Amino acid sequence: MRIVIQRVSEASVSIENHKVAEIQSGLLVLLGIVEDDDQEDINYLVRKTANLRIFNDENEVMNKSLIDIAGEVIVVSQFTLQAATKKGNRPSYIKAAKPDIAIPLYTNFVQTLEKEIGKKVQTGQFGADMQVALVNDGPVTIIIDSKNKE
């Protein structure tokens, strides 16, 4: 399981020109799932997402977490995060989990994150053609892969 975390001052997700999610200060999380991901991967990435100290404190030092600032979150499923680009110029998405595996893991990730931060997490729509808009604050962008914990 791989995530891209972007610290945002605002973000939204639209489908067919209809906004389905919108936040102010917090995180936009893009989530890519592979076939062998499980609850351990979810737990690891949820703890990281909730507790990464990437928000400024009163001294403008990145010393606060999402929980500390009571920030908002949008989670968007993005199978292209699992693209293999080693051969040729056309990315291969063969590692990305199929919907029957990915949807329950995506749903579980969102629910686990909600429990961790104690508030509702907004989402895109799995498998939809989404337009994601954001103002990356900083910019701060962090990539975490649950298979590379060390």
Side-chain angles (χ1 to χ4, degrees):
M1 195 170 280
R2 184 174 295 149
I3 58 175
V4 174
I5 297 173
Q6 297 184 349
R7 184 179 79 179
V8 298
S9 56
E10 61 184 74
S12 65
V13 178
S14 297
I15 301 170
E16 296 180 2
N17 295 319
H18 174 70
K19 250 182 213 171
V20 297
E22 185 173 26
I23 65 169
Q24 295 305 308
S25 182
L27 298 175
L28 172 66
V29 178
L30 306 175
L31 174 65
I33 300 168
V34 295
E35 297 279 332
D36 67 345
D37 286 333
D38 59 21
Q39 190 64 45
E40 185 178 329
D41 297 288
I42 290 169
N43 293 342
Y44 174 75
L45 291 176
V46 162
R47 279 192 309 274
K48 285 292 193 181
T49 300
N51 294 294
L52 272 179
R53 294 176 11 189
I54 59 173
F55 293 93
N56 292 346
D57 64 15
E58 57 282 349
N59 298 314
E60 297 300 311
V61 175
M62 285 194 281
N63 206 25
K64 291 190 173 193
S65 71
L66 181 69
I67 292 172
D68 294 333
I69 69 153
E72 299 178 287
V73 183
I74 297 177
V75 176
V76 175
S77 176
Q78 188 171 345
F79 76 93
T80 60
L81 289 179
Q82 298 298 347
T85 58
K86 197 171 188 179
K87 291 184 179 179
N89 293 319
R90 176 178 287 206
S92 169
Y93 305 108
I94 198 153
K95 290 171 119 182
K98 304 291 183 262
D100 61 321
I101 292 172
I103 291 171
L105 289 169
Y106 170 73
T107 301
N108 193 349
F109 180 91
V110 170
Q111 291 170 345
T112 304
L113 184 56
E114 286 176 337
K115 288 178 189 165
E116 186 77 15
I117 66 172
K119 65 173 21 179
K120 178 90 173 114
V121 169
Q122 295 192 50
T123 64
Q125 181 181 328
F126 190 94
D129 181 17
M130 295 173 274
Q131 289 68 54
V132 179
L134 68 130
V135 176
N136 190 321
D137 183 19
V140 175
T141 302
I142 310 284
I143 302 168
I144 307 172
D145 192 316
S146 63
K147 306 301 189 221
N148 297 325
K149 293 179 188 156
E150 298 171 16

